Amino acid sequence: GEDVEQSLFLSVREGDSSVINCTYTDSSSTYLYWYKQEPGAGLQLLTYIFSNMDMKQDQRLTVLLNKKDKHLSLRIADTQTGDSAIYFCAESHDGNTGKLIFGQGTTLQVKP
Amino acid sequence: EPEVTQTPSHQVTQMGQEVILRCVPISNHLYFYWYRQILGQKVEFLVSFYNNEISEKSEIFDDQFSVERPDGSNFTLKIRSTKLEDSAMYFCASSPTGTGYKDTQYFGPGTRLTVL
């Protein structure tokens, strides 16, 4: 069945790069997403990548997709304390109703 | 910026009681969703709703759950007879379309349901 896995915790120093990893099992995944959740808030879409892309860059965010290994990563350059949050990887595919399958979330702790 | 709102932020109920969780999706969106997150577990899809009917539902969404769009603005999730294991954070989401990159789902802040 469909499954998305992430590591649970990542700690970095302010100014360093953060890399959050995700693996998924559904080979028919069409869209892959990164959501951010700050305390007390909902899930905020950060970025997405279409499955025929290898990389997408958006300011400090770089998404890499290895479709062969079903591996997705989110790199945050020059990580700031405001980036501390839980980051969720999610996937969906055409043909369904937009249902998102989420990973368990990676807690990013940024130390000053 | 338009946003999805949910009420209440926290709901405490007794086992066996009915609860209604309320959501106001973004006004021009057509697709609506409920997800839940049990503490320490993944965010799980419950149901999607389009054109006044359920599009897809998960195994979790059994007969004790129902959804409704009672008017042009609200989208509700009803749990008929709550169980201890229904304790979770419930997220509502809406999107302009159902599939594709344009289906960006906008999430509300969630309702924390505690069943005692």
Side-chain angles (χ1 to χ4, degrees):
Chain A
E2 304 156 324
D3 194 21
V4 178
E5 295 290 333
Q6 299 175 241
S7 53
L8 294 180
F9 186 77
L10 176 66
S11 180
V12 300
R13 291 252 173 236
E14 191 174 19
D16 288 350
S17 292
S18 308
V19 179
I20 302 171
N21 295 300
C22 169
T23 57
Y24 59 98
T25 58
D26 188 356
S27 57
S28 63
S29 295
T30 310
Y31 301 99
L32 294 133
Y33 304 86
W34 284 103
Y35 279 84
K36 177 183 180 183
Q37 185 183 33
E38 297 182 32
L43 299 165
Q44 173 199 354
L45 179 70
L46 284 179
T47 187
Y48 65 89
I49 189 167
F50 187 49
S51 60
N52 69 354
M53 299 166 66
D54 298 324
M55 186 181 89
K56 181 178 181 182
Q57 187 149 6
D58 184 1
Q59 299 182 332
R60 292 191 297 122
L61 305 180
T62 303
V63 179
L64 295 178
L65 175 61
N66 182 328
K67 197 173 178 183
K68 176 176 167 289
D69 294 339
K70 299 190 183 74
H71 182 267
L72 182 74
S73 68
L74 174 70
R75 179 176 179 270
I76 306 172
D78 186 25
T79 314
Q80 304 296 307
T81 54
D83 294 324
S84 293
I86 302 175
Y87 291 80
F88 292 92
C89 170
E91 63 94 9
S92 70
H93 52 89
D94 277 343
N96 73 1
T97 56
K99 170 180 80 174
L100 293 174
I101 305 296
F102 283 89
Q104 60 268 61
T106 300
T107 298
L108 175 64
Q109 179 189 64
V110 182
K111 297 179 181 176
Chain B
E1 185 177 328
E3 57 183 19
V4 177
T5 59
Q6 291 185 244
T7 55
S9 56
H10 190 191
Q11 173 91 46
V12 181
T13 189
Q14 296 291 326
M15 192 169 56
Q17 294 295 305
E18 175 183 286
V19 294
I20 297 176
L21 308 183
R22 301 179 193 281
C23 169
V24 178
I26 294 173
S27 62
N28 61 346
H29 285 187
L30 301 177
Y31 287 79
F32 312 110
Y33 309 84
W34 284 101
Y35 294 81
R36 79 172 185 189
Q37 185 180 29
I38 295 170
L39 190 64
Q41 297 186 24
K42 295 181 181 183
V43 176
E44 302 172 289
F45 168 80
L46 292 178
V47 66
S48 59
F49 190 86
Y50 169 71
N51 200 26
N52 278 322
E53 59 183 28
I54 290 173
S55 306
E56 185 176 0
K57 59 183 181 180
S58 71
E59 293 173 354
I60 305 165
F61 195 89
D62 60 22
D63 291 345
Q64 70 159 343
F65 290 92
S66 61
V67 288
E68 194 178 29
R69 188 153 163 81
D71 52 42
S73 59
N74 289 282
F75 179 51
T76 61
L77 174 69
K78 182 192 290 185
I79 309 174
R80 261 179 272 284
S81 177
T82 50
K83 304 171 190 167
L84 295 176
E85 55 265 35
D86 293 328
S87 294
M89 181 72 89
Y90 288 80
F91 292 105
C92 173
S94 68
S95 68
T97 66
T99 59
Y101 70 91
K102 293 180 182 176
D103 75 348
T104 299
Q105 292 184 28
Y106 294 82
F107 283 77
T111 293
R112 179 162 296 285
L113 176 65
T114 302
V115 182
L116 302 176

